[in-house]
Amino acid sequence: MGTALSIHWNLCIGTIGAYAHRRPDLAPLLEKLVRFNLCGEFLLTEIGRGLDARNLETTATLQPDGSFDLHTPRESAAKAMPPTSPAGGIGRVGVVFARLIVNGADHGVKPFIVNLSDESDMLPGITSRLLPRRCGAKVLDHAITTFSHVRLSAASLLGSLDRAEDQRADFFRQIHRVAIGTLSLSMTNIPALRQSALIAGTYSSRRRVTAEAEYGGIPIIQFSTQHRPILDAIVQSWAYDAFADEAITQFMNKELCMDVRHAVVVCFKTAVGTDAQVTINELAERCGWQGLFAHNEIIELAMALKGNAIAEGDYTVLCISELYSSKYPKCDMS
């Protein structure tokens, strides 16, 4: 549910809503999305490109009548992961990123509003192939989505037909909601740390060793090897709670340029994501064999958080891309 709502509210509604002030015709669609009469999706990443999304291959070709022909030219251009099937009996609409082709010329990556399915079936020309269940996660219909010459109305394009002078800046402006997801999804590490500490603490208080059998045994939480990672998780949750408040404040500070604001949330994501993975996995080990099972929930939480870390752009790749961007001088890495 958290994943579905994050895509629906932040990525889909957030992206479309950014154009609503100059596109009053979008109001009825936004109303349906807000009321959850439709489920919103966000289709950016492609199988053959991954985080190299600026070079995506899906095309939207302008037609003489002003409409667009949306097409997946090859298997590597298929959109990966967003849950686009009619599962759940609700129609789905997506913000689909495609390369705009005008009179044979590439006008860069643009977002388009695309109706994907109704309550029971995919719409003509659109195929959604269900992926296997993601390890450690609750059931969600992650899918591979392709388009075969799907005709879109002129109103489906969000933004201008013109090619932007600065393609990099324009691309990041269009996917600005991803940066918000980087922060909001990373914050889920904080309650996960607390929940894992509670589970491991409850287990450790109940589990006893029998060296002092006449006294009913000793709860293993008394041992430092057991209570140290529990205390680590609690303290980390407090520290990152405060860090999150500061990151939100800095991210909302419009006096800072977007690159700096994005850097703040990447720093938060890197710190909390790395520490939480180490701590939560250690807590799972402290629950013995029971920590290996989804019913215990700790391992499942760790895997869900790992999925969140990847979903909004892995921070290692984000750091590398910024480090080697032509905008900055070369660094001496020796």
Side-chain angles (χ1 to χ4, degrees), residues 196 199-207 220 225-226 229-230 280-299:
S196 299
I199 294 168
T202 302
Y203 168 87
S204 301
S205 298
R206 186 182 69 237
R207 190 79 168 185
I220 63 173
T225 52
Q226 201 72 19
I230 296 171
I280 291 176
N281 278 293
E282 188 173 4
L283 289 172
E285 293 176 5
R286 292 299 180 270
C287 292
W289 61 268
Q290 295 183 47
L292 300 175
F293 290 84
H295 183 75
N296 178 267
E297 292 193 5
I298 298 180
I299 283 290

Side-chain angles (χ1 to χ4, degrees), residues 43 70-72 79 96 114 116 125-126 145-150:
L43 290 82
L70 180 68
H71 186 60
T72 303
K79 298 295 185 181
V96 178
V114 182
L116 301 169
I126 304 175
T145 309
T146 56
F147 306 95
S148 179
H149 298 291
V150 176

Side-chain angles (χ1 to χ4, degrees), residues 183 187 190 194 237-253 264-265 268:
L183 178 57
M187 289 170 60
I190 298 169
R194 292 171 179 167
S237 74
W238 292 341
Y240 286 118
D241 209 352
F243 191 175
D245 288 342
E246 180 62 22
I248 292 169
T249 299
Q250 296 300 325
F251 187 75
M252 295 179 66
N253 182 1
V264 170
V265 301
F268 173 77

Side-chain angles (χ1 to χ4, degrees), residues 46-268:
E46 295 179 352
I47 291 177
R49 291 296 175 183
L51 292 170
D52 185 24
R54 282 180 60 202
N55 293 310
L56 58 79
E57 300 175 273
T58 302
T59 58
T61 305
L62 179 65
Q63 303 299 297
D65 63 357
S67 65
F68 302 95
D69 178 84
L70 180 68
H71 186 60
T72 303
R74 55 189 62 87
E75 186 66 23
S76 61
K79 298 295 185 181
M81 289 300 281
T84 54
S85 78
I90 184 171
R92 299 188 189 244
V93 62
V95 174
V96 178
F97 286 82
R99 193 165 297 284
L100 175 61
I101 307 299
V102 179
N103 296 324
D106 182 353
H107 279 216
V109 175
K110 305 284 185 179
F112 294 82
I113 298 173
V114 182
N115 290 310
L116 301 169
S117 69
D118 56 23
E119 293 82 355
S120 57
D121 295 297
M122 302 302 296
L123 295 184
I126 304 175
T127 301
S128 177
R129 287 179 290 162
L130 197 64
L131 286 167
R133 180 180 175 184
R134 181 162 64 89
C135 182
K138 302 293 186 184
V139 177
L140 190 64
D141 54 321
H142 291 296
I144 301 296
T145 309
T146 56
F147 306 95
S148 179
H149 298 291
V150 176
R151 187 58 61 95
L152 304 178
S153 69
S156 65
L157 173 64
L158 294 173
S160 170
L161 284 168
D162 298 333
R163 177 180 173 85
E165 292 186 10
D166 187 338
Q167 287 287 295
R168 180 181 183 274
D170 186 59
F171 177 75
F172 283 109
R173 178 188 60 78
Q174 291 174 25
I175 64 166
H176 71 285
R177 300 301 301 190
V178 172
I180 296 170
T182 298
L183 178 57
S184 61
L185 283 179
S186 298
M187 289 170 60
T188 60
N189 284 276
I190 298 169
L193 282 166
R194 292 171 179 167
Q195 184 175 345
S196 299
L198 175 62
I199 294 168
T202 302
Y203 168 87
S204 301
S205 298
R206 186 182 69 237
R207 190 79 168 185
R208 295 170 178 265
V209 294
T210 56
E212 302 290 339
E214 64 272 21
Y215 300 108
I218 301 172
I220 63 173
I221 199 169
Q222 293 187 19
F223 301 120
S224 62
T225 52
Q226 201 72 19
H227 65 241
R228 179 189 52 77
I230 296 171
L231 293 175
D232 282 348
I234 295 170
V235 172
Q236 285 174 12
S237 74
W238 292 341
Y240 286 118
D241 209 352
F243 191 175
D245 288 342
E246 180 62 22
I248 292 169
T249 299
Q250 296 300 325
F251 187 75
M252 295 179 66
N253 182 1
K254 294 185 178 180
E255 294 182 2
L256 300 174
C257 71
M258 193 60 203
D259 283 347
V260 172
R261 292 157 65 188
H262 193 194
V264 170
V265 301
V266 170
C267 288
F268 173 77

